Amino acid sequence: MFLVLASVLVLALQPWQTGEVYATGVGEHRVVMLADGSRMSLNTATKVRASLSPSKRVVVVESGEALFEVAKDASRPFLVTASETEVKATGTAFLVRLQSSSQEVSTSLEVTLIEGQVVLRPQAGLVGVAAGAGPVVMTAGERVRVDGAMAASGVSKVRVEGPGLDRAVAWTRGEASFDDVTLNEAVAEMNRYSSKPIVMVEAARLKALRVSGLFRTGDSARFARAVAALHGLDVREHSDRLDLAPG
């Protein structure tokens, strides 16, 4: 009986020690329920590592975007780390998004608070944290962008109105929502959900065009045709891409 109980205990402790990895491919969306009752919704091309212990709950976002709906537990803070930044919550809902620095429209990290309160600060244990790089307290309806390491103070905060919050979580419904954004931004967003990207031909002539509307993620062809009809552009379909070009 003792050996059986010991085996059960080892199996129960192992995930708490090593963490569990959850990932999605391009165009995939996955919902994960953690053992503490917290819910993670993973967007396209996302990878996270979750580890729960009796004293804290830790999630590392390695790539992509995730919506966290945190179960209340004042005795165990919920910590999300991404891009050398730590987000601390106890019971709240917030988005964390990492974007490639190679994209013109990207920032390295974006946190949008849906409800509750969170605190952002440079990740614990970092070497060379800048003096005065203190925490940033967020309240519901705020978005913080961190360009580069938070320790370097590349932080900006903006208010996000109700419709803006709805657009931020549109991907959880399989939608991409745009409100007067540049075509460059809209194409970059749609390309996140498809292995067959839209390529802007003569991009300098097209990138300033504006786009508004609600589109199905992963349906790049329909998006391209709609934009082409709106702005008088041509769509050329190839086996590996969709070209969007001046008409």
Side-chain angles (χ1 to χ4, degrees):
M1 178 64 72
F2 176 77
L3 290 177
V4 172
L5 288 176
S7 298
V8 172
L9 182 60
V10 170
L11 289 174
L13 288 177
Q14 188 174 5
W16 299 61
Q17 296 170 341
T18 62
E20 295 289 336
V21 176
Y22 305 97
T24 57
V26 174
E28 292 182 339
H29 173 211
R30 181 181 181 186
V31 176
V32 177
M33 293 297 297
L34 298 178
D36 70 326
S38 296
R39 174 184 171 112
M40 299 189 302
S41 298
L42 309 184
N43 201 358
T44 178
T46 295
K47 183 179 179 181
V48 304
R49 186 183 301 273
S51 179
L52 308 182
S53 76
S55 60
K56 62 183 178 180
R57 302 166 287 174
V58 178
V59 177
V60 178
V61 179
E62 298 184 7
S63 61
E65 180 176 24
L67 169 63
F68 298 95
E69 298 168 89
V70 181
K72 294 184 183 300
D73 187 346
S75 66
R76 282 198 300 169
F78 195 97
L79 305 175
V80 176
T81 62
S83 187
E84 301 184 355
T85 300
E86 183 178 272
V87 184
K88 181 179 180 180
T90 51
T92 186
F94 59 97
L95 280 165
V96 172
R97 176 170 175 169
L98 281 172
Q99 292 181 289
S100 170
S101 58
S102 64
Q103 297 179 16
E104 291 182 24
V105 298
S106 71
T107 54
S108 58
L109 174 66
E110 184 175 275
V111 179
T112 303
L113 184 56
I114 310 299
E115 63 180 40
Q117 185 181 82
V118 298
V119 178
L120 274 67
R121 62 188 181 192
Q123 186 177 342
L126 285 181
V127 176
V129 173
V136 175
V137 179
M138 294 180 64
T139 57
E142 290 184 332
R143 175 177 293 147
V144 167
R145 291 186 176 94
V146 182
D147 295 303
M150 188 177 178
S153 301
V155 180
S156 62
K157 182 194 288 188
V158 297
R159 270 316 280 184
V160 183
E161 302 301 328
L165 291 176
D166 186 68
R167 283 191 293 273
V169 298
W171 60 266
T172 63
R173 306 186 298 270
E175 298 171 338
S177 179
F178 304 117
D179 181 23
D180 194 34
V181 302
T182 66
L183 180 58
N184 194 45
E185 292 176 287
V187 166
E189 181 65 17
M190 293 300 295
N191 282 346
R192 296 177 65 207
Y193 302 92
S194 177
S195 57
K196 188 174 181 177
I198 298 171
V199 176
M200 294 170 60
V201 179
E202 298 184 48
R205 294 176 56 185
L206 303 182
K207 66 180 182 179
L209 297 176
R210 314 298 293 188
V211 175
S212 295
L214 192 65
F215 302 91
R216 179 64 55 181
T217 54
D219 195 348
S220 297
R222 180 171 294 183
F223 167 82
R225 289 194 295 268
V227 170
L230 176 65
H231 292 295
L233 308 177
D234 288 335
V235 178
R236 304 163 191 164
E237 187 162 357
H238 304 272
S239 61
D240 61 342
R241 70 185 191 279
L242 289 166
D243 285 346
L244 196 58

